[in-house]
Amino acid sequence: MLIGIAKENREKTEKRVLLLPQFVQRLVKDGHTVRVEKDAGRKLELTNKEYKKAGAIISSKKDVYSSGIVLRIRIPSLDELDLMKKNSILICMVHKDTHPAMVAEFKKRGINVIELNEIKNGDGERLVEAFGISGSEGIKTGFKLFEKLYKKTPKSVVIMGYGNLAVPAIQTACKLGASVTVLGRKQTSKENIDKHLKNAEIIINATLRKPREIGKYLITKEQLVLLNKKSLVLDFSADPISCIETCRPTNLDKPYYSVNINGRRIYHMCIYSLPGLAPLKCSKRYSEQVIPFVRLIANLGLQKAIQRSLPLKRALISIL
C-alpha cells in the first residue's frame, strides 16, 4: 500500500505531525511505501533525513495526496482534497457534526474517510485523543495569558464540565494555586451559573456538547458582566458554535480576542487545537494510538479492516 503523511499547515505555529519516524518504520517493515511531505516534522526538529532513515520517501504535497492512504491530524483544505484520488482513504480528525459541508465534499469526490475522533470502543470512549494534554496545557496557557493581561495570578476559576477534558484542567488549575468551582451538567441552570460567575476571574467551558445542544447557550453575552473586572473566558470545547454566546474558535496563531460588553473589555481564548500547545507530546500520543489502525487498513485493505475492527467501522465516512 502507498501511504502519504501530510504536513500540518492549518496554522503557521502548528508543529505536530501524525506519525513520528519510529512509527513510520513499522509501516515500512510491513512492506508498505511511505511518502512523507517535505519538512513535515521540521518544526518538531525532526529532519527529512530522520524520516528517510526510517524508510520513508520525502515527497511533494502532490505526491503525498495522490497516495492510497493519506494521513494527517487536521482536516485538509479543498485544494488538498482535489489532489486525492477517487476511492482513496483519508485518515484525520473531522468532527463531522460541526463540519457537514466537508462531509459532503468527501462524498462528492468519492473519498473514504476514517474520522480519528470517532474511533471509539464499545463504551463510546475515544481511542485517539489527547484530553489530558488539552486540559492541562489549556489551563497553563490561559493562566499565562491572564498574567500577561493583568500582571497577577488568577485565583478564582469556574469550570463547566467534569469529563475527560475537564478533569486534567481542574487538577492543573489546583496545582497552580487557584480555587476551582466545578459545575456539572445538573448545575448549569441560569441561576446557578449567575451565582458562580459573580467575581470569578476565569470561566471555562469544558462541556461535551451533543449535536442537538449546539447553538443553545449556557452563558449569554449579558451574563459575562458578572465576572470580575479582570477576567478571562476560556473555551476548551471550541466548536464552531459554543455554549458561551461570545465564543468563537481561535487558533495557535491568534489564540485570543476581546469582546466589548457594556463598556467592558472581556478577553476570550478558545483555541480549537489545544493539543498543539504540546506538539511533540501530542504527536507521540497520536502516533501510538493511530498506528494499529493504520497498519490494519494497510495490511488488510479497508473492507477487511472494518470487518475486523468495529471501532474503525464506526469511524468510517465512506462511499463503500
Side-chain angles (χ1 to χ4, degrees):
M1 180 71 78
L2 189 55
I3 302 167
I5 299 174
K7 183 193 298 186
E8 298 299 321
N9 54 6
R10 298 306 291 254
E11 296 151 26
K12 290 181 180 179
T13 47
E14 174 66 83
K15 298 179 180 180
R16 296 173 294 170
V17 62
L18 186 54
L19 287 186
L20 299 176
Q22 60 266 40
F23 297 93
V24 168
Q25 192 172 43
R26 298 183 194 181
L27 295 172
V28 174
K29 286 183 176 179
D30 286 344
H32 304 294
T33 299
V34 180
R35 294 169 171 168
V36 175
E37 189 172 346
K38 184 180 178 182
D39 294 331
R42 181 176 61 84
K43 291 181 181 179
L44 282 179
E45 298 184 359
L46 296 171
T47 64
N48 294 327
K49 186 176 180 179
E50 287 178 84
Y51 275 104
K52 287 176 72 174
K53 188 176 179 180
I57 300 170
I58 305 305
S59 304
S60 66
K61 178 189 290 288
K62 182 179 179 180
D63 285 343
V64 164
Y65 280 94
S66 67
S67 304
I69 300 175
V70 177
L71 306 174
R72 59 176 294 151
I73 299 173
R74 303 286 298 278
I75 200 167
S77 67
L78 293 178
D79 289 342
E80 289 163 339
L81 286 183
D82 287 338
L83 299 175
M84 294 187 67
K85 296 178 179 178
K86 187 175 182 179
N87 294 323
S88 60
I89 303 164
L90 171 64
I91 301 177
C92 69
M93 301 286 182
V94 178
H95 300 284
K96 62 177 177 289
D97 290 333
T98 51
H99 293 91
M102 287 303 294
V103 174
E105 292 293 339
F106 299 148
K107 294 178 178 179
K108 176 182 175 182
R109 289 165 168 78
I111 298 171
N112 300 295
V113 180
I114 296 294
E115 188 177 6
L116 287 177
N117 51 286
E118 286 297 321
I119 299 179
K120 299 177 180 179
N121 63 20
D123 294 323
E125 298 169 331
R126 282 179 55 176
L127 300 179
V128 181
E129 51 77 25
F131 292 129
I133 295 172
S134 295
S136 179
E137 295 300 323
I139 285 291
K140 291 176 185 177
T141 303
F143 272 47
K144 287 178 182 177
L145 174 58
F146 190 95
E147 290 165 0
K148 174 184 174 181
L149 294 170
Y150 302 117
K151 312 304 180 188
K152 61 173 288 190
T153 301
K155 295 297 182 184
S156 175
V157 174
V158 176
I159 183 166
M160 297 188 296
Y162 194 66
N164 291 331
L165 181 58
V167 169
I170 294 164
Q171 293 171 337
T172 303
C174 289
K175 288 178 182 178
L176 292 174
S179 173
V180 181
T181 299
V182 180
L183 301 181
R185 185 173 288 272
K186 293 182 180 180
Q187 287 86 47
T188 53
S189 66
K190 182 181 182 304
E191 294 76 14
N192 199 45
I193 289 176
D194 283 354
K195 180 178 74 173
H196 290 290
L197 281 180
K198 289 180 180 178
N199 295 317
E201 293 173 308
I202 295 181
I203 175 69
I204 304 170
N205 170 37
T207 61
L208 174 63
R209 306 297 287 164
K210 298 176 182 178
R212 67 174 182 274
E213 295 175 313
I214 294 174
K216 295 181 180 179
Y217 300 125
L218 293 176
I219 298 178
T220 64
K221 181 177 180 178
E222 289 73 23
Q223 286 173 275
L224 291 180
V225 297
L226 296 172
L227 290 168
N228 189 289
K229 290 183 179 180
K230 295 180 178 180
S231 58
L232 176 64
V233 178
L234 302 179
D235 196 327
F236 291 173
S237 301
D239 291 317
I241 303 175
S242 173
C243 68
I244 300 177
E245 184 179 8
T246 51
C247 286
R248 55 175 173 77
T250 61
N251 57 45
L252 299 171
D253 294 341
K254 296 181 179 180
Y256 69 96
Y257 61 94
S258 65
V259 176
N260 191 301
I261 305 174
N262 295 342
R264 281 182 54 186
R265 176 178 288 186
I266 298 179
Y267 289 91
H268 294 58
M269 187 188 84
C270 316
I271 299 174
Y272 187 75
S273 50
L274 280 172
L277 294 170
L280 183 57
K281 188 176 180 181
C282 177
S283 295
K284 184 178 180 181
R285 182 169 179 82
Y286 281 164
S287 293
E288 291 170 341
Q289 294 171 334
V290 167
I291 192 64
F293 297 107
V294 177
R295 292 180 73 186
L296 191 64
I297 294 170
N299 292 339
L300 299 182
L302 184 57
Q303 286 276 16
K304 290 184 179 179
I306 63 174
Q307 291 172 9
R308 181 79 62 88
S309 170
L310 188 55
L312 273 181
K313 186 175 182 179
R314 292 191 181 111
L316 180 66
I317 301 173
S318 180
I319 60 165
L320 288 174

